[in-house]
């Protein structure tokens, strides 16, 4: 029986801004994709169902946690859409082969700043500053293969090549 390789951890990552410059940071909190729902109840249903709205998601928040206040943090607070890209290398354990290898993960976003927390000043300590963004577009590639794309303004949600909003776009005359 073949053993599937196991993705174990992020080895490291880099963040790139609009101009493909590397941004120095401590950590990034990626957004949660939480579907918009509506409660369905009534005759013929045994209780209630929180039914997800096809391809629709609540607010997507991305947070960059800075060790100190930086020029990058201030610059990314400009009220416009920013292109932020996260490129990481994941460690893969192939137990069947007895080997460790790497796998690239790339997350492409378009986001708008909505909060800049400057943190606090303390002698000999980090400021723990953070920048919070509203994500309007996200695309994820694993090992060079597109696995997810959400484009809120262009009404597109694709998972592993299946566009869940294509028929809705057709229904509305968008295609």
């Amino acid at each position: 029986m073949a053993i599937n390789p196991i993705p174990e951890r992020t080895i490291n990552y880099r963040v790139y801004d609009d101009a493909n410059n590397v941004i120095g940071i401590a950590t990034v909190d990626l957004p949660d994709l939480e579907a918009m729902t509506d409660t369905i109840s009534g005759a013929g249903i045994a209780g209630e169902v929180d039914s997800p709205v096809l391809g629709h998601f609540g607010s997507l928040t991305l947070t960059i946690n800075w060790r100190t206040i930086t020029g990058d943090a201030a610059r990314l607070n400009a009220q416009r859409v920013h292109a932020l890209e996260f490129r990481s290398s994941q460690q893969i354990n192939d137990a069947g082969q007895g080997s460790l290898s790497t796998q690239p993960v790339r997350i492409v976003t378009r986001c708008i700043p909505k909060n800049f927390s400057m943190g606090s000043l303390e002698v000999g300590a980090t400021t723990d500053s953070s920048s919070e963004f509203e994500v309007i577009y996200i695309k994820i590639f694993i090992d060079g293969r597109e696995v997810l794309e959400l484009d809120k303004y262009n009404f597109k949600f694709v998972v592993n090549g299946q566009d869940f909003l294509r028929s809705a776009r057709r229904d509305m005359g968008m295609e």
Side-chain angles (χ1 to χ4, degrees):
M1 179 169 121
I3 300 173
N4 289 331
I6 300 168
E8 289 186 331
R9 68 186 48 87
T10 298
I11 295 171
N12 214 321
Y13 70 100
R14 292 182 112 176
V15 178
Y16 296 84
D17 69 3
D18 308 288
N20 221 17
N21 297 317
V22 176
I23 300 173
I25 56 171
T27 61
V28 174
D29 297 325
L30 297 169
D32 294 334
L33 268 72
E34 183 177 342
M36 291 176 60
T37 62
D38 184 36
T39 302
I40 308 298
S41 64
I45 297 176
E48 295 180 340
V49 175
D50 260 354
S51 176
V53 180
L54 190 63
H56 285 60
F57 296 88
S59 175
L60 303 180
T61 300
L62 181 145
T63 305
I64 296 177
N65 302 295
W66 309 91
R67 296 183 57 73
T68 60
I69 298 173
T70 68
D72 287 331
R75 182 177 46 77
L76 289 174
N77 200 42
Q79 291 293 295
R80 63 177 184 79
V81 176
H82 294 274
L84 297 177
E85 188 168 317
F86 307 89
R87 300 179 196 168
S88 73
S89 180
Q90 290 186 153
Q91 179 172 304
I92 307 298
N93 184 334
D94 189 335
Q97 299 293 320
S99 65
L100 297 175
S101 60
T102 65
Q103 178 181 67
V105 175
R106 186 166 58 112
I107 302 169
V108 177
T109 67
R110 301 291 177 271
C111 47
I112 304 166
K114 60 182 192 177
N115 184 42
F116 177 42
S117 174
M118 290 183 249
S120 61
L121 295 174
E122 183 180 337
V123 175
T126 63
T127 60
D128 295 328
S129 306
S130 64
S131 298
E132 187 177 79
F133 301 89
E134 176 66 21
V135 176
I136 57 175
Y137 175 87
I138 187 166
K139 185 184 279 193
I140 302 172
F141 298 87
I142 298 176
D143 217 5
R145 189 174 70 83
E146 182 182 318
V147 297
L148 184 139
E149 179 181 24
L150 174 60
D151 187 342
K152 287 189 166 189
Y153 285 132
N154 288 303
F155 209 76
K156 191 172 186 183
F157 180 57
V158 181
V159 177
N160 290 325
Q162 181 178 356
D163 187 342
F164 287 91
L165 290 174
R166 186 172 195 171
S167 61
R169 286 193 308 272
R170 267 195 321 263
D171 294 345
M172 295 184 302
M174 296 173 70
E175 284 191 2

